[in-house]
């Protein structure tokens, strides 16, 4: 038998993956894709650029298997996996014609074929893979499939609707209490929820991710609890009726119910900690959750006098005021704490306004923040918002004389611009 080429194939562990899309969003070669079941890597398109590694909150991304190149696992095979295949032994690889020296140091890359163009290549280039320099150090994956305990049980301490009744946009503020068990989180992190039951193939439901909406010291200061902002999913992204598994489970919970939680997750989308830092928060819908967390932590710092004047600017979009979570409390926050800018796209008799429109209107105030090394920008919510937001940031920067290419690179490399869209 002639010598056979070997490939160190990049794979994603379906048991740990929380389907957060961070890897797919970060991959510039479009090698990562997903179906309803799994996130997978196309061996023919992966160029081993490794942009996906630092953004994965769980480590599911960091898996490799030596295989004869001609037998690389296809994406169709990977879509069907519930766990990673076992490693092929050196003996088996050798028996298939892989030369010994290649087993010692296999080539990492296949010849990368042109992969599909990723949906948001501009975001991929701009999204930071490091946290802001002053962010606190996060704990990640304390509970999960590869941790000492697969989950932590939390008790529901509250569940209230935060969008107006009567509208079909039903969003809940859910408070989870961890009792005496440790579950430390920072603003910007998320947690996994394991819904009970099984999918239509009889497999346990995989975890769904939800951003923490409360400050690090608890939803109620000093309590070991946190809050989530959860939209009840009743139609899919194409508008077809569905009943989302985890969101409906969470929105229907009652006080005292027990919930299985994994995490915490996220080591980059983190609030800067120095009190002079400016934070520009741009969000739609439940993308407001991490913004609520950051605002609340700043409010607590403000109250305690440990605040040195960094600005908080919020751009918040929804179809109508009725669909805006936390609309009431937002209006009551002091202007010197939070500069609130709302955009509504479907109010009868009024022109459509999106977050990027309001950002452009506030260009005079945004431009100095963009030029400051103390500014961090966070974008969270609907995936469709990214393009318009980036265009608005670019236009505002250029109009004020800033070099957008240099600024974009600095924002990214210094961990000062973060996208979390789903
Ligand atoms: C980093 C991160 C943070 C997140 N934070 C939040 C958060 O704070 N609050 C929140 O409500 N959600 C958040 N999500 C989305 C959340 O993880 C779930 O995807 C969402 O709740 C749907 O889960 P489900 O089990 O109800 O629906 P599924 O049963 O998983 O899906 C049912 C159908 O609905 C579609 N679908 C999935 N999600 C949505 C959606 N958001 N809108 C419309 N259709 C959808 C699916 O494609 C599928 O066809 C976050 C996601 C990520 C990756």
């Amino acid at each position: 038998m002639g010598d056979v080429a070997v490939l160190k194939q990049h794979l994603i562990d379906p048991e740990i993956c929380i389907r957060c899309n961070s890897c797919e969003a970060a991959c510039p070669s479009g090698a990562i894709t997903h179906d309803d079941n799994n996130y997978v890597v196309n061996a023919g398109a992966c160029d081993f650029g490794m942009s996906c590694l630092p953004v994965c909150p769980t480590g599911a991304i960091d898996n490799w298997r030596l295989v004869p190149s001609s037998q690389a696992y296809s994406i169709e095979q990977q879509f069907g996996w519930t766990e990673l295949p076992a490693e092929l032994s050196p003996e088996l690889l050798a028996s298939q014609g892989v030369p010994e020296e290649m087993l010692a140091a296999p080539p990492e890359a296949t010849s990368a074929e042109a992969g599909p163009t990723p949906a948001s290549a501009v975001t991929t280039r701009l999204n930071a893979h490091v946290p802001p320099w002053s962010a606190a150090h996060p704990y990640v994956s304390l509970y999960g499939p590869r941790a000492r305990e697969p989950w932590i049980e939390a008790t529901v301490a509250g569940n209230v609707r935060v969008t107006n009744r009567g509208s079909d946009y039903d969003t809940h503020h859910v408070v989870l209490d961890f009792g005496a068990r440790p579950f430390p989180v920072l603003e910007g992190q998320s947690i996994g929820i394991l819904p009970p039951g099984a999918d239509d193939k009889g497999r346990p439901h995989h975890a769904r991710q939800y951003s923490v909406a409360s400050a690090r010291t608890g939803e109620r200061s000093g309590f070991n609890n946190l809050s989530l902002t959860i939209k009840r999913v009743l139609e899919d992204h194409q508008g077809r009726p569905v009943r989302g598994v985890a969101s409906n489970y969470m929105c229907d919970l009652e006080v005292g119910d027990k919930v299985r939680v994994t995490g915490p997750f996220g080591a980059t989308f983190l609030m800067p900690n120095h009190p002079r830092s400016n934070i520009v928060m741009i969000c739609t819908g439940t993308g407001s959750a991490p913004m609520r967390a950051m605002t609340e932590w700043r409010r607590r710092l403000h109250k305690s006098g440990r605040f040195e004047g960094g600005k908080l600017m919020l751009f918040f979009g929804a179809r109508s005021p009725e669909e805006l979570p936390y609309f009431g409390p937002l209006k009551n926050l002091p202007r010197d704490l939070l500069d609130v800018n709302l955009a509504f796209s479907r109010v009868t008799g009024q022109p459509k306004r999106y977050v990027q429109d309001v950002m452009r209107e506030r260009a005079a105030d945004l431009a100095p923040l963009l030029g400051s090394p103390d500014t961090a920008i966070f974008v969270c919510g609907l995936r469709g918002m990214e393009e318009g937001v980036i265009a608005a940031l670019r236009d505002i920067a250029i109009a004020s004389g800033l070099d957008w290419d240099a600024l974009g690179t600095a924002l990214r490399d210094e961990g000062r611009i973060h996208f979390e869209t789903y």
Side-chain angles (χ1 to χ4, degrees):
M1 192 190 305
D3 283 354
V4 164
V6 69
L7 162 70
K8 186 175 171 186
Q9 186 171 358
H10 186 195
L11 299 169
I12 298 173
D13 186 340
E15 281 188 283
I16 309 183
C17 174
I18 51 171
R19 283 84 179 159
C20 69
N21 202 64
S22 315
C23 55
E24 189 173 324
C27 175
S29 57
I32 299 180
T33 181
H34 69 277
D35 68 355
D36 283 348
N37 208 26
N38 285 338
Y39 275 74
V40 301
V41 186
N42 179 350
C46 176
D47 63 2
F48 295 83
M50 308 291 179
S51 319
C52 53
L53 290 197
V55 297
C56 173
T58 63
I61 195 77
D62 198 5
N63 282 282
W64 311 86
R65 291 286 184 274
L66 288 187
V67 289
S69 298
S70 59
Q71 294 172 37
Y73 299 107
S74 67
I75 56 173
E76 288 72 26
Q77 282 173 298
Q78 297 174 52
F79 283 144
W81 286 348
T82 50
E83 56 183 35
L84 285 177
E87 309 248 12
L88 301 181
S89 68
E91 293 75 24
L92 186 69
L93 287 165
S95 74
Q96 296 187 355
V98 175
E100 217 171 282
E101 63 277 14
M102 295 204 73
L103 291 180
E108 288 211 319
T110 52
S111 57
E113 296 159 11
T117 308
S120 53
V122 182
T123 316
T124 303
R125 281 200 297 276
L126 204 57
N127 197 9
H129 297 161
V130 292
W133 70 267
S134 61
H137 187 72
Y139 286 93
V140 289
S141 301
L142 295 179
Y143 304 89
R146 294 279 183 273
R148 228 172 50 175
E149 295 178 56
W151 64 75
I152 178 174
E153 189 176 79
T155 306
V156 178
N159 181 357
V160 290
R161 187 175 165 140
V162 282
T163 44
N164 272 4
R165 284 191 180 277
S167 93
D168 55 3
Y169 195 94
D170 182 9
T171 301
H172 286 238
H173 182 73
V174 178
V175 181
L176 299 179
D177 192 282
F178 295 93
R181 309 289 315 283
F183 198 84
V185 291
L186 291 174
E187 305 77 16
Q189 284 195 290
S190 55
I191 68 167
I193 295 289
L194 284 166
D199 65 17
D200 51 9
K201 297 192 182 77
R203 292 172 303 212
H205 288 301
H206 65 77
R208 271 43 167 208
Q209 214 174 345
Y210 294 98
S211 304
V212 173
S214 48
R216 64 189 73 183
T217 46
E219 167 70 3
R220 180 167 171 191
S221 196
F223 279 59
N224 190 19
N225 60 15
L226 58 76
S227 63
L228 306 172
T229 313
I230 301 186
K231 180 192 137 189
R232 189 189 288 280
V233 171
L234 293 173
E235 50 181 44
D236 67 14
H237 293 293
Q238 287 73 39
R240 294 176 299 229
V242 288
R243 201 169 165 79
V245 172
S247 58
N248 282 278
Y249 162 66
M250 291 300 288
C251 288
D252 291 337
L253 286 170
E254 290 182 9
V255 171
D257 284 346
K258 306 290 182 193
V259 180
R260 292 181 305 162
V261 176
T262 60
F265 300 118
T268 56
F269 191 110
L270 295 175
M271 179 178 179
N273 247 352
H274 60 297
R276 271 194 306 276
S277 54
N278 307 305
I279 307 182
V280 177
M281 303 178 283
I282 306 161
C283 62
T284 54
T286 54
S288 58
M291 315 313 184
R292 180 182 185 271
M294 294 187 201
T295 305
E296 180 55 19
W297 180 234
R298 269 295 171 87
R299 195 185 65 81
R300 288 180 193 177
L301 286 178
H302 204 265
K303 246 175 109 180
S304 69
R306 288 181 287 142
F307 182 72
E308 294 171 24
K311 287 200 165 54
L312 285 193
M313 218 172 172
L314 173 71
F315 295 91
F316 194 173
R319 289 192 299 190
S320 65
E322 292 72 36
E323 293 186 3
L324 198 79
Y326 312 117
F327 186 52
L330 257 184
K331 283 190 307 188
N332 298 332
L333 284 172
R335 177 96 182 172
D336 65 336
L337 172 70
L338 180 65
D339 183 345
V340 184
N341 301 272
L342 305 177
F344 301 116
S345 59
R346 280 199 216 165
V347 177
T348 322
Q350 285 182 22
K352 285 180 194 280
R353 273 154 56 89
Y354 297 99
V355 277
Q356 58 267 31
D357 301 324
V358 189
M359 288 167 66
R360 288 174 194 279
E361 285 167 21
R362 295 294 312 274
D365 299 295
L366 259 178
L369 296 187
L370 283 183
S372 162
D374 281 320
T375 300
I377 302 167
F378 296 90
V379 183
C380 190
L382 293 173
R383 185 149 308 144
M385 71 191 287
E386 291 174 355
E387 217 175 290
V389 165
I390 293 172
L393 288 173
R394 185 196 56 218
D395 292 349
I396 293 166
I398 292 171
S400 70
L402 294 165
D403 175 342
W404 172 244
D405 287 338
L407 177 62
T409 305
L411 287 170
R412 184 196 61 205
D413 293 350
E414 293 166 16
R416 297 196 289 115
I417 187 158
H418 295 270
F419 295 82
E420 196 161 85
T421 55
Y422 43 87

